Amino acid sequence: MAHRHEVIVVGAGGAGLATALYAAREGADVAVITKLYPTRSHTGAAQGGIGAALGNVEEDHWEWHMFDTVKGGDYLTDQDAAEVFAKEVIEAVLELEHMGLPFDRLPNGKIAQRRFGGHTKDWGKAPVHRAAHAADRTGHMILQTLYQQCVKHNITFYNEFHVTDVILEDGVAKGLVAYELATGELHLFQAKAIVIASGGFGRIYKVTSNAYTLTGDLQAILYRKGLPLEDMEFYQFHPTGLYPLGILLTEGARGEGGILRNALGERFMERYAPTIKDLAPRDMVSRAMYLEVREGRGVGPKKDHVLLDLTHLPPEVIEKKLPDITEFSRIYLGVDPLKEPVPVMPTAHYAMGGIPTTLWGQVIQDEKNTVVPGLYAAGEAACVSLHGANRLGTNSLGDLVVFGRRAGIHAARFAKDADYHELKADHLGESRERIERIKNSTGKEKVAVLRAELQQSMMDHASVFRTGELLAKQVEILKELMDRYRNISIEDKGDAYNTELVEALELGYLLEVSEALVHSALNRTESRGAHAREDYPERDDGNWLKHTLAYKVADGKVAFRYKPVVLGRFEPKARTY
Amino acid sequence: MQVTLKILRFDPAKHEKPTWQTYQVEAEPTDRVLDLLHKVKWDQDGTLAFRRSCGHGICGSDAMLINGKNRLACKTLVKDLGSVITVEPIRGLPVERDLIVDMEPFFAAYRAVKPYLINEEPPPARERLQSPEERERFDHGTKCILCASCTTSCPVFWVNGTYLGPAAIVQAHRFIFDSRDRGKRERFKALGSGSGVWRCRTAYNCTEACPREIPVTQLIEEVKRAILFDRF
């Protein structure tokens, strides 16, 4: 079947819905393609808040937010992006409130705000209340509110459609191919503008806060087509994943006063970040936790994790402001945070890198910022680059509304002046062939086995700490896994809801994004933000104050180009807290 | 421990009607039912189809009937069920394949109550003010993840497919009692109709089924009262 819409958005998370909504408000005919049902997307898992210098609790300025974002990103953040962001996120939060988002309130009726990692006043002097929140389900509320508005605007949704191809002809984005899960049918979508907002890929790792469905599909599809992925080496581990599952426990818990302790009961963050302690940025806290474990001060029979202590907080703060994580802890661990500390360990959480874009979400294809006409990206799938080498907590929700809105507005205006393109070829063929090959294969390799090997090896060789030796080993493992991937077979040969086929396709994407990540990490011989090389422990601004663009040139081979970091107000300085 | 997992299977291409299939799975007491379904799918039988996404109870994808009750597979642990576990699709929506049902009738009811803030007054430059007490008034409804556990546990919904169902009424409640909203009369049209709240027989199945501990029946009663008092 064939469909036409002026603007087609891939993904129905926060970024996709914000994009769709603002494009619709511009008067465009908008459709959203999602491989889930709307409201199932992982924005709903974001807990703690959305940072904006509203100044509702204490003095705050967008310039302080911009500074924190740049410093938090270890100066790899593009400062033009950080400036646009810190200013516009204030307006975006107020617009969400006007749309009905149920923020928590202060006694004077204004939106409530709390502290979060890396957010400071007076250029780093002390923590600041900047995270606007709705209990510990701020992401859930954003996702629901944006979906409610999409319902109000009658936006078309293609639910449970799995995009298998982006049609690029003559250097122009013309449409998409998608596999309808209910029927097994392939659909052709023609669009004047396409916005990729399909989220991250935490499922390359064994321990992750990410949904099973976060498999980097569209990053991999564009990468296969020769478009670059930017700064893939920077992958964030969130310090407080519930041990051993990796389910997220919000940084807001530390924002409310929670403390990390090692086996000796020490508040170890005092040694690593004396000024803001447990509210240091995530990369620093995750590394500190690993070091505590490595030096024998870990907790538990395997001494492999630490504790998040909330027991000194008033019970009503925990019950009212952190109800969901309290429930997770009780259900999955049988631990009551009111009475005993919660076992935690770093968990794979967020891709700072992704599809490179301009400040208006236009996808770029090289170091000269040449745009691909009609192609946009926003949210975690994209890299503008706001988060640089490490994202501050709450800046993901801010990113997806600010840059989702910008991508939606620009895509709608672009579409207004554009025509639908003629398609030169039968674009369904390639997808059909890939699907048939998997369905008809008699190979002996199992998807679940390969995926588990990938996830374990990425954990062992390319997680919080890296070395050249480990990364080189992972390059070889990935080559072998890709070879074996050609011999996968599946049992389900049916057409209706063939979820086994979908998992097989997703494994292919996981392998591709892992390749881009590992090669980029091996290539960058310095330590910056979330990329900690033990063989190159120092930040090296002389050689590496630049963005990586990774290109797939052949199976197992990756080429690099570089883009300068956009500097401005803030000179790179040593990053201490 | 060994767990016997009985799953109600249905493939429209193969089966006339749903049939039970039994699997033996090695499980830890702390495993989620979702983990068991994955063990079956990944190690024993790739053709088993079910929905899931987040895996910890906040996306609402994996509502199913587990040992006779509506629950989320990712929030239900083996130790709370015992060594024989039955899994079926939620009831009252057309089964499309195995544990996957057609959610469209559920979302059609959701859309019918206008589940979005209605307020045409020009917004202020800053936020609309709302006291913590006004915010608390509708807090329960904001927890809803649209998993359909409540609606598909409701006997009235099973019998009368046109009933809006508990989830849609909870969504309406969330806005009716929001001090910023001006649209309750518009919502009352659907809610007060023959398919609306008066169908509710107060069976409490919805409240028992809700994985987010929303007092669904209470919220439905509050909507009934809001409609009644609006008439006088």
Side-chain angles (χ1 to χ4, degrees):
Chain A
M1 269 176 75
H3 316 264
R4 264 188 174 194
H5 298 278
E6 287 177 320
V7 177
I8 298 184
V9 183
V10 184
L17 297 179
T19 301
L21 180 58
Y22 283 98
R25 283 187 176 182
E26 287 288 313
D29 157 40
V30 183
V32 179
I33 303 179
T34 165
K35 69 176 180 177
L36 303 167
Y37 265 94
T39 76
R40 306 306 190 218
S41 300
H42 213 53
T43 299
Q47 297 168 354
I50 175 167
L54 301 171
N56 282 359
V57 176
E58 58 187 317
E59 185 184 356
D60 200 3
H61 303 281
W62 69 260
E63 291 92 341
W64 291 354
H65 191 185
M66 177 188 169
F67 170 75
D68 289 338
T69 301
V70 170
K71 182 179 172 187
D74 218 346
Y75 296 92
L76 196 72
T77 294
D78 282 337
Q79 295 194 19
D80 53 350
E83 177 167 344
V84 158
F85 168 74
K87 283 181 190 165
E88 292 186 10
V89 74
I90 297 171
E91 198 180 316
V93 165
L94 295 172
E95 280 189 8
L96 285 171
E97 196 285 326
H98 295 156
M99 290 176 197
L101 196 138
F103 284 110
D104 290 347
R105 299 290 173 157
L106 298 166
N108 64 12
K110 292 182 179 177
I111 296 170
Q113 295 185 277
R114 67 175 151 217
R115 293 168 174 164
F116 240 79
H119 291 275
T120 72
K121 60 175 134 193
D122 252 341
W123 324 106
K125 293 222 175 75
V128 70
H129 289 73
R130 185 177 291 148
H133 57 86
D136 55 354
R137 43 178 186 277
T138 314
H140 164 86
M141 303 294 198
I142 288 178
L143 189 63
Q144 297 283 332
T145 302
L146 290 171
Y147 182 56
Q148 291 157 6
Q149 292 295 312
C150 288
V151 169
K152 187 178 179 184
H153 284 80
N154 282 315
I155 288 166
T156 305
F157 279 82
Y158 294 90
N159 300 327
E160 300 192 317
F161 277 63
H162 200 92
V163 169
T164 54
D165 205 1
V166 176
I167 301 169
L168 294 172
E169 271 182 344
D170 317 315
V172 175
K174 298 182 175 177
L176 298 153
V177 180
Y179 175 85
E180 184 182 7
L181 213 50
T183 61
E185 193 184 348
L186 282 172
H187 294 248
L188 183 68
F189 290 87
Q190 263 187 293
K192 296 176 180 178
I194 294 165
V195 188
I196 308 298
S198 51
F201 50 83
R203 284 282 153 184
I204 60 174
Y205 290 107
K206 185 180 174 195
V207 178
T208 175
S209 65
N210 283 202
Y212 291 96
T213 44
L214 283 174
T215 48
D217 306 3
L218 273 294
Q219 289 93 321
I221 287 171
L222 295 185
Y223 176 64
R224 277 178 192 163
K225 290 191 162 286
L227 288 175
L229 294 176
E230 180 176 349
D231 291 343
M232 292 293 278
E233 60 270 41
F234 299 103
Y235 196 91
Q236 177 167 83
F237 278 70
H238 191 296
T240 55
L242 199 65
Y243 175 87
L245 295 164
I247 292 170
L248 187 64
L249 290 192
T250 177
E251 195 169 277
R254 280 172 285 140
E256 297 291 351
I259 291 169
L260 291 165
R261 296 190 190 280
N262 62 21
L264 306 174
E266 290 172 327
R267 184 181 195 179
F268 59 85
M269 281 312 297
E270 286 176 342
R271 289 201 297 276
Y272 300 91
T275 315
I276 58 176
K277 304 181 182 75
D278 300 89
L279 287 172
R282 292 172 176 177
D283 57 330
M284 298 178 80
V285 183
S286 291
R287 275 196 298 280
M289 289 165 74
Y290 259 75
L291 290 172
E292 289 296 309
V293 165
R294 194 184 286 183
E295 287 164 18
R297 295 189 291 276
V299 178
K302 294 184 191 162
K303 294 187 161 198
D304 60 350
H305 60 278
V306 300
L307 298 170
L308 175 63
D309 187 0
L310 303 174
T311 55
H312 55 288
L313 298 180
E316 62 272 17
V317 168
I318 301 177
E319 299 273 13
K320 279 277 171 213
K321 292 186 161 177
L322 304 165
D324 277 14
I325 65 161
T326 303
E327 192 193 9
F328 296 155
S329 179
R330 285 174 182 155
I331 291 182
Y332 296 109
L333 298 186
V335 168
D336 186 348
L338 267 61
K339 299 190 183 114
E340 51 187 323
V342 185
V344 290
M345 68 186 292
T347 182
H349 186 58
Y350 188 88
M352 270 71 75
I355 302 160
T357 73
T358 66
L359 294 180
W360 288 98
Q362 300 155 286
V363 172
I364 59 171
Q365 51 186 305
D366 57 28
E367 69 282 13
K368 294 178 206 125
N369 292 326
T370 311
V371 304
V372 181
L375 192 60
Y376 295 78
E380 191 180 348
C383 178
V384 288
S385 146
L386 171 65
H387 309 304
N390 170 65
R391 175 177 68 76
L392 292 188
T394 77
N395 275 1
S396 63
L397 292 177
D399 175 359
L400 58 84
V401 282
V402 167
F403 291 101
R405 178 168 78 162
R406 288 182 145 246
I409 290 169
H410 201 285
R413 290 180 185 167
F414 174 88
K416 211 166 279 175
D417 298 326
D419 290 320
Y420 288 104
H421 302 275
E422 288 291 317
L423 297 180
K424 290 181 181 167
D426 159 31
H427 290 280
L428 297 185
E430 204 181 308
S431 296
R432 184 173 290 127
E433 204 177 291
R434 190 149 50 100
I435 288 164
E436 290 305 315
R437 197 168 61 234
I438 293 172
K439 272 189 168 180
N440 297 331
S441 166
T442 54
K444 293 283 174 274
E445 299 287 356
K446 304 284 284 181
V447 171
V449 171
L450 290 194
R451 189 175 49 215
E453 285 184 33
L454 170 71
Q455 291 167 339
Q456 184 66 57
S457 61
M458 287 297 288
M459 208 75 200
D460 293 342
H461 305 136
S463 59
V464 173
F465 283 104
R466 291 113 184 242
T467 67
E469 198 183 335
L470 290 176
L471 291 165
K473 192 170 173 191
Q474 189 62 12
V475 164
E476 294 308 313
I477 290 172
L478 287 175
K479 269 187 205 156
E480 185 207 313
L481 289 173
M482 285 195 173
D483 279 342
R484 290 168 63 194
Y485 181 69
R486 290 186 186 91
N487 283 314
I488 53 161
S489 64
I490 59 174
E491 288 171 66
D492 196 338
K493 311 294 181 193
D495 292 325
Y497 285 99
N498 192 334
T499 53
E500 195 184 16
L501 171 70
V502 169
E503 286 190 33
L505 293 169
E506 288 173 337
L507 173 60
Y509 303 139
L510 289 172
L511 288 165
E512 301 280 4
V513 290
S514 298
E515 177 188 273
L517 187 156
V518 170
H519 281 261
S520 299
L522 180 57
N523 184 56
R524 183 177 284 268
T525 50
E526 65 155 355
S527 287
R528 183 188 299 269
H531 176 63
R533 286 280 300 257
E534 290 189 278
D535 43 355
Y536 296 92
E538 300 301 319
R539 193 174 84 195
D540 178 1
D541 286 339
N543 289 307
W544 287 106
L545 188 60
K546 57 188 181 186
H547 297 291
T548 305
L549 294 177
Y551 292 81
K552 189 176 186 69
V553 283
D555 266 350
K557 290 222 167 57
V558 180
F560 296 102
R561 294 191 204 173
Y562 302 98
K563 235 174 63 140
V565 173
V566 179
L567 298 173
R569 273 172 207 254
F570 306 113
E571 281 297 307
K573 278 196 295 206
R575 188 163 160 258
T576 54
Y577 287 91
Chain B
M1 62 190 277
Q2 275 281 319
V3 171
T4 303
L5 198 58
K6 294 164 139 176
I7 303 175
L8 196 60
R9 304 286 312 267
F10 175 68
D11 182 346
K14 290 186 201 155
H15 304 134
E16 290 274 310
K17 56 177 189 173
T19 55
W20 289 97
Q21 199 162 342
T22 302
Y23 302 90
Q24 299 296 326
V25 187
E26 186 59 36
E28 297 292 327
T30 51
D31 276 347
R32 304 163 284 188
V33 171
L34 179 61
D35 296 319
L36 306 192
L37 294 173
H38 274 146
K39 282 178 191 182
V40 169
K41 184 171 184 66
W42 294 343
D43 304 338
Q44 299 184 31
D45 184 350
T47 67
L48 178 66
F50 53 91
R51 290 192 179 106
R52 88 285 189 261
S53 182
C54 80
H56 63 281
I58 44 92
C59 82
S61 299
D62 63 350
M64 44 191 85
L65 201 61
I66 299 169
N67 282 6
K69 284 186 184 169
N70 276 2
R71 317 182 215 225
L72 301 181
C74 61
K75 261 183 105 170
T76 309
L77 305 190
V78 171
K79 66 179 172 158
D80 298 321
L81 295 171
S83 59
V84 179
I85 298 172
T86 61
V87 183
E88 306 162 64
I90 46 178
R91 290 184 177 143
L93 293 168
V95 178
E96 299 200 293
R97 166 93 192 259
D98 295 341
L99 302 168
I100 295 174
V101 299
D102 179 6
M103 295 290 287
E104 179 46 33
F106 174 81
F107 279 102
Y110 169 79
R111 292 191 297 268
V113 301
K114 305 199 173 192
Y116 40 81
L117 190 86
I118 298 175
N119 185 334
E120 301 306 326
E121 299 155 19
R126 295 283 300 193
E127 62 264 57
R128 291 191 175 103
L129 299 180
Q130 184 170 57
S131 72
E133 294 72 30
E134 287 169 331
R135 165 67 180 78
E136 182 68 22
R137 182 68 189 88
F138 63 96
D139 188 60
H140 285 308
T142 67
K143 295 175 192 163
C144 175
I145 55 174
L146 298 169
C147 68
S149 288
C150 59
T151 295
T152 61
S153 73
C154 172
V156 179
F157 182 77
W158 297 335
V159 176
N160 181 330
T162 65
Y163 173 42
L164 287 174
I169 299 170
V170 165
Q171 290 297 323
H173 180 285
R174 177 250 172 277
F175 290 102
I176 290 168
F177 291 94
D178 187 330
S179 59
R180 301 168 294 174
D181 189 79
R182 305 285 175 266
K184 66 178 181 182
R185 292 266 164 80
E186 292 180 48
R187 292 192 190 90
F188 285 172
K189 277 180 213 151
L191 292 162
S193 75
S195 305
V197 291
W198 307 115
R199 290 269 167 205
C200 168
R201 311 314 297 171
T202 324
Y204 280 98
N205 285 23
C206 52
T207 300
E208 281 176 31
C210 179
R212 304 282 293 167
E213 292 176 355
I214 300 170
V216 181
T217 313
Q218 180 194 320
L219 302 192
I220 294 172
E221 289 300 309
E222 289 176 2
V223 171
K224 286 178 181 171
R225 258 176 270 150
I227 295 173
L228 272 180
F229 290 130
D230 194 56
R231 289 201 182 146
F232 297 104

